Amino acid sequence: MSQEAKIIRGSCLCEAVKYEIHGAPFTFRVCHCVNCRKATGTAFMSNGFFSRDQVRVIEGPEKVKIFEDKKTTSGVALARQFCSECGSNVFITSTDPEQSKKFIIVALGTLDQETNWLPKTELFEDQRRHWVNGIHLLTKQRL
Ligand SMILES: [Zn+2]
Ligand SMILES: [Zn+2]
Protein backbone atom coordinates (compact mmCIF):
# COMPACT_ATOMS: atom_id res chain seq x y z
CA MET A 1 0.00 0.00 0.00
CA SER A 2 1.41 3.36 -0.94
CA GLN A 3 1.75 6.20 1.53
CA GLU A 4 -0.83 8.17 -0.46
CA ALA A 5 -3.51 5.51 -0.08
CA LYS A 6 -2.98 4.99 3.61
CA ILE A 7 -5.74 6.07 5.99
CA ILE A 8 -4.63 7.54 9.31
CA ARG A 9 -7.12 7.96 12.13
CA GLY A 10 -7.26 10.49 14.91
CA SER A 11 -9.56 11.61 17.71
CA CYS A 12 -9.96 14.09 20.54
CA LEU A 13 -9.20 13.07 24.12
CA CYS A 14 -12.76 11.86 24.90
CA GLU A 15 -13.13 10.28 21.43
CA ALA A 16 -16.41 12.09 20.75
CA VAL A 17 -14.74 13.54 17.66
CA LYS A 18 -13.05 11.10 15.30
CA TYR A 19 -11.55 11.75 11.90
CA GLU A 20 -9.62 10.04 9.18
CA ILE A 21 -6.91 11.36 6.92
CA HIS A 22 -6.27 10.06 3.43
CA GLY A 23 -2.62 10.44 2.50
CA ALA A 24 0.18 12.62 3.78
CA PRO A 25 0.20 16.33 4.62
CA PHE A 26 1.31 18.72 1.88
CA THR A 27 3.19 20.50 4.61
CA PHE A 28 3.82 19.98 8.30
CA ARG A 29 4.81 22.91 10.50
CA VAL A 30 5.62 23.04 14.16
CA CYS A 31 4.24 26.30 15.52
CA HIS A 32 5.74 28.01 18.55
CA CYS A 33 3.37 30.99 18.55
CA VAL A 34 1.80 31.95 21.85
CA ASN A 35 -1.74 31.31 20.56
CA CYS A 36 -0.94 27.73 19.54
CA ARG A 37 0.71 27.23 22.93
CA LYS A 38 -2.30 28.55 24.77
CA ALA A 39 -4.80 26.66 22.61
CA THR A 40 -3.08 23.35 23.31
CA GLY A 41 -1.65 24.09 26.75
CA THR A 42 1.78 22.91 25.73
CA ALA A 43 5.07 24.13 24.30
CA PHE A 44 4.19 24.05 20.60
CA MET A 45 1.58 22.80 18.18
CA SER A 46 2.18 20.17 15.48
CA ASN A 47 0.21 21.42 12.51
CA GLY A 48 -0.33 19.13 9.51
CA PHE A 49 -1.71 20.88 6.43
CA PHE A 50 -4.04 18.87 4.19
CA SER A 51 -6.33 19.59 1.29
CA ARG A 52 -9.95 19.54 2.42
CA ASP A 53 -10.80 16.31 0.61
CA GLN A 54 -8.08 14.42 2.52
CA VAL A 55 -9.74 14.86 5.93
CA ARG A 56 -13.13 13.47 6.94
CA VAL A 57 -14.79 13.83 10.33
CA ILE A 58 -16.30 10.39 10.86
CA GLU A 59 -17.78 10.91 14.33
CA GLY A 60 -19.06 13.86 16.34
CA PRO A 61 -18.97 16.77 13.87
CA GLU A 62 -21.70 18.39 15.99
CA LYS A 63 -19.34 18.32 19.00
CA VAL A 64 -16.80 20.49 17.21
CA LYS A 65 -16.90 24.10 18.37
CA ILE A 66 -15.03 26.99 16.81
CA PHE A 67 -13.03 29.68 18.51
CA GLU A 68 -12.36 32.52 16.13
CA ASP A 69 -8.78 33.51 16.92
CA LYS A 70 -8.38 37.06 15.65
CA LYS A 71 -5.24 38.05 17.57
CA THR A 72 -2.75 35.80 15.82
CA THR A 73 0.95 36.59 15.39
CA SER A 74 0.57 36.49 11.61
CA GLY A 75 -2.45 38.78 11.74
CA VAL A 76 -4.54 36.23 9.80
CA ALA A 77 -7.64 35.14 11.71
CA LEU A 78 -7.99 31.41 12.31
CA ALA A 79 -10.90 29.19 13.24
CA ARG A 80 -9.57 26.98 16.01
CA GLN A 81 -11.78 23.91 16.20
CA PHE A 82 -11.99 21.96 19.40
CA CYS A 83 -14.11 19.25 21.01
CA SER A 84 -16.81 20.83 23.17
CA GLU A 85 -16.74 17.81 25.50
CA CYS A 86 -13.05 17.51 26.34
CA GLY A 87 -11.53 20.69 24.91
CA SER A 88 -8.96 19.04 22.64
CA ASN A 89 -7.89 21.25 19.76
CA VAL A 90 -8.37 19.10 16.68
CA PHE A 91 -8.44 21.31 13.56
CA ILE A 92 -7.61 24.82 12.41
CA THR A 93 -9.16 26.37 9.33
CA SER A 94 -9.14 29.82 7.81
CA THR A 95 -12.02 32.14 8.72
CA ASP A 96 -11.96 33.24 5.07
CA PRO A 97 -14.53 31.02 3.30
CA GLU A 98 -12.44 30.81 0.12
CA GLN A 99 -9.22 29.89 1.96
CA SER A 100 -11.17 27.52 4.15
CA LYS A 101 -12.11 25.42 1.11
CA LYS A 102 -8.47 24.99 0.16
CA PHE A 103 -6.90 23.47 3.25
CA ILE A 104 -7.44 22.21 6.77
CA ILE A 105 -4.84 22.00 9.50
CA VAL A 106 -4.95 18.93 11.73
CA ALA A 107 -3.47 19.08 15.22
CA LEU A 108 -1.21 16.07 14.75
CA GLY A 109 -1.02 15.51 18.50
CA THR A 110 -4.49 13.99 18.12
CA LEU A 111 -3.42 11.22 15.72
CA ASP A 112 -4.20 7.72 16.99
CA GLN A 113 -1.38 6.19 15.00
CA GLU A 114 2.30 6.87 14.51
CA THR A 115 3.33 8.10 11.07
CA ASN A 116 6.68 8.68 9.39
CA TRP A 117 5.84 12.34 8.68
CA LEU A 118 8.43 14.88 9.76
CA PRO A 119 7.89 18.61 10.15
CA LYS A 120 9.23 20.70 7.29
CA THR A 121 9.53 23.97 9.16
CA GLU A 122 9.16 25.66 12.50
CA LEU A 123 7.07 28.81 12.72
CA PHE A 124 7.62 31.76 15.04
CA GLU A 125 10.87 30.45 16.47
CA ASP A 126 11.29 33.81 18.22
CA GLN A 127 8.46 32.69 20.50
CA ARG A 128 9.88 29.20 21.12
CA ARG A 129 10.28 28.21 24.75
CA HIS A 130 13.97 28.22 25.62
CA TRP A 131 13.77 24.64 26.88
CA VAL A 132 12.52 23.35 23.52
CA ASN A 133 15.89 22.40 22.24
CA GLY A 134 15.43 21.17 18.71
CA ILE A 135 12.76 19.58 16.53
CA HIS A 136 13.53 16.69 14.19
CA LEU A 137 12.88 18.42 10.88
CA LEU A 138 12.68 16.74 7.50
CA THR A 139 15.51 18.85 6.12
CA LYS A 140 17.70 18.96 9.19
CA GLN A 141 21.31 18.21 8.35
CA ARG A 142 23.16 16.13 10.86
CA LEU A 143 26.65 17.44 11.58
ZN1 LIG B 1 -13.50 15.21 23.01
ZN1 LIG C 1 0.72 29.05 15.95
Side-chain angles (χ1 to χ4, degrees):
M1 189 184 271
S2 76
Q3 176 70 20
E4 265 57 52
K6 204 171 172 187
I7 295 173
I8 303 290
R9 290 179 204 284
S11 56
C12 65
L13 179 59
C14 75
E15 299 187 307
V17 178
K18 292 185 180 175
Y19 64 85
E20 59 183 31
I21 297 174
H22 298 251
F26 66 82
T27 193
F28 174 2
R29 298 171 177 171
V30 165
C31 190
H32 299 284
C33 85
V34 64
N35 292 23
C36 282
R37 283 197 267 117
K38 287 195 180 244
T40 57
T42 186
F44 55 83
M45 194 165 175
S46 308
N47 292 331
F49 290 63
F50 300 87
S51 62
R52 273 286 179 150
D53 59 4
Q54 285 182 275
V55 180
R56 285 204 314 137
V57 178
I58 54 174
E59 266 186 61
E62 74 285 355
K63 301 282 188 188
V64 177
K65 291 282 184 287
I66 293 177
F67 171 67
E68 218 171 285
D69 183 3
K70 293 174 181 156
K71 293 181 187 166
T72 59
T73 301
S74 67
V76 177
L78 297 171
R80 294 190 182 269
Q81 304 190 19
F82 60 96
C83 171
S84 56
E85 296 291 329
C86 68
S88 295
N89 275 250
V90 185
F91 307 115
I92 301 174
T93 53
S94 173
T95 56
D96 176 336
E98 279 309 304
Q99 287 297 315
S100 161
K101 284 182 206 156
K102 291 181 189 161
F103 69 93
I104 181 166
I105 297 167
V106 177
L108 297 182
T110 62
L111 293 180
D112 292 333
Q113 296 156 248
E114 185 59 281
T115 69
N116 59 5
W117 307 336
L118 289 174
K120 287 182 181 164
T121 53
E122 291 175 77
L123 291 180
F124 306 114
E125 289 171 273
D126 55 319
Q127 295 178 44
R128 180 172 51 199
R129 288 293 189 221
H130 70 89
W131 45 266
V132 176
N133 200 12
I135 302 286
H136 184 181
L137 296 176
L138 187 62
T139 53
K140 197 164 231 171
Q141 299 295 314
R142 290 179 190 284
L143 297 172

